[in-house]
Amino acid sequence: MHRGDEGSVPASSATGARADPPVCTPFPTIRSHGASVARSHAYDWLALLLLVAVEGLLNAIEPFHRFVGAGMMTDLRYPLKTNTVPLWAVPIYAVIGPIIVFTIIYVRRRNVYDLHHAVLGILFSVLITGVITDAIKDAVGRPRPNFFWRCFPDGIAVFDNVTTGVICHGDASVIKEGHKSFPSGHTSWSFAGLGFLSWYLAGKITVFDRRGHVAKLCIVLAPLLVAAMVAISRVDDYWHHWQDVCTGGILGLVVASVCYLQFFPAPSDDKGFWPHAHFRYIAERQNESQTRRATELLEAMEAGGGGQ
């Protein structure tokens, strides 16, 4: 019996005995349970709004301007190129794309818990990652590999006669971004969103079913490959050092893993197909059904006794 095809928790024993037949329970849909599920997570949605506000504040403040001297320019004179992956594209492939996948699964399975928790989980993943990333960026203030051309757009370097520190005469906003190299935001966001999607797909296609289907593993690794290519583009465009993208990738993947496991069982788990909330819902329905049957039986026994 496939885990994703029934509405109840499959039971099994260590001896391999056949499990008791599940209680048939219809899946909760957006129409039947959407409002109640959203209300039960009202504080989580408020927390997301707070993360958005913090993220905006971190992008508005001036980062720490780390000292850059004349002798440090060797690794900071790379060309100032445009982004291969523009900033506006990141939320499209890292957030909107995965949400489309979640929606397709919902259309096929009609489980509002799965859709709601997947959307909530990925939003937490990318926003927590974004706040951590930008907080570190502002605190570290590491210059980007193309810092020279941000500081001296005309190519004429000016340094302090005493400290040999740079005296920049470029655009203030461009210089500000020049002090935000570590860690890579494109990379951390990519691994946060696409890493969450990878976890989600692993659970949905039961990649760890011990049947040796390598094609399933390819599907799970595909989002991570996209994230890795984005990370490589950041080095190729000379916007980041290799340490920046490595740290960003690890950060995003760790946060994605924690956020996914907050809402879903591990893909290797027997219940890895649906979120934790789905199985709580099934257990509650089963308990209600058993209580109702017990009550009906007791009433029938009392009615029979009274008739004698």
Side-chain angles (χ1 to χ4, degrees), residues 80-160:
L80 180 57
K81 299 174 56 179
T82 58
N83 293 300
T84 299
V85 180
L87 181 61
W88 57 263
V90 178
I92 293 177
Y93 67 75
V95 180
I96 297 177
I99 289 178
I100 291 175
V101 175
F102 305 155
T103 304
I104 292 173
I105 298 297
Y106 172 78
V107 171
R108 290 176 57 85
R109 299 294 187 179
R110 297 291 180 179
N111 190 335
V112 69
Y113 285 114
D114 184 72
L115 176 62
H116 179 272
H117 288 15
V119 172
L120 190 61
I122 197 170
L123 290 178
F124 266 118
S125 180
V126 295
L127 285 172
I128 291 174
T129 298
V131 168
I132 295 175
T133 299
D134 287 322
I136 297 174
K137 279 178 177 287
D138 290 340
V140 174
R142 186 183 191 184
R144 296 184 186 271
N146 53 27
F147 182 81
F148 178 90
W149 297 102
R150 292 173 177 273
C151 186
F152 312 120
D154 56 3
I156 302 175
V158 181
F159 301 97
D160 186 275

Side-chain angles (χ1 to χ4, degrees), residues 203-278:
K204 288 295 177 285
I205 65 177
T206 59
V207 68
F208 300 114
D209 57 4
R210 299 178 179 85
R211 297 181 181 180
H213 297 303
V214 180
K216 288 185 176 182
L217 193 60
C218 294
I219 294 174
V220 171
L221 293 178
L224 298 180
L225 176 60
V226 174
M229 296 307 295
V230 173
I232 293 171
S233 75
R234 303 307 290 162
V235 178
D236 291 346
D237 292 341
Y238 309 122
W239 278 63
H240 288 284
H241 308 274
W242 67 269
Q243 299 95 331
D244 306 336
V245 299
C246 288
T247 304
I250 294 172
L251 172 61
L253 198 54
V254 168
V255 175
S257 303
V258 172
C259 289
Y260 180 83
L261 295 175
Q262 180 72 14
F263 293 99
F264 292 82
S268 58
D269 193 283
D270 289 338
K271 302 176 183 179
F273 194 93
W274 292 125
H276 298 298
H278 168 80

Side-chain angles (χ1 to χ4, degrees), residues 152-234:
F152 312 120
D154 56 3
I156 302 175
V158 181
F159 301 97
D160 186 275
N161 292 330
V162 178
T163 65
T164 73
V166 296
I167 302 177
C168 296
H169 51 263
D171 183 85
S173 61
V174 177
I175 297 172
K176 175 183 176 180
E177 281 300 313
H179 284 280
K180 292 186 174 185
S181 187
F182 181 87
S184 168
H186 276 64
T187 305
S188 63
W189 270 64
S190 297
F191 275 94
L194 296 176
F196 189 97
L197 175 61
S198 184
W199 276 98
Y200 182 84
L201 293 175
K204 288 295 177 285
I205 65 177
T206 59
V207 68
F208 300 114
D209 57 4
R210 299 178 179 85
R211 297 181 181 180
H213 297 303
V214 180
K216 288 185 176 182
L217 193 60
C218 294
I219 294 174
V220 171
L221 293 178
L224 298 180
L225 176 60
V226 174
M229 296 307 295
V230 173
I232 293 171
S233 75
R234 303 307 290 162

Side-chain angles (χ1 to χ4, degrees), residues 28-44:
T29 64
I30 292 178
R31 177 173 296 182
S32 64
H33 290 73
S36 62
V37 172
R39 282 196 301 269
S40 66
H41 288 272
Y43 289 112
D44 292 319

Side-chain angles (χ1 to χ4, degrees), residues 2-36:
H2 195 280
R3 290 199 298 267
D5 294 334
E6 75 280 347
S8 61
V9 181
S12 59
S13 64
T15 60
R18 182 181 296 276
D20 294 333
V23 176
C24 293
T25 305
F27 284 174
T29 64
I30 292 178
R31 177 173 296 182
S32 64
H33 290 73
S36 62

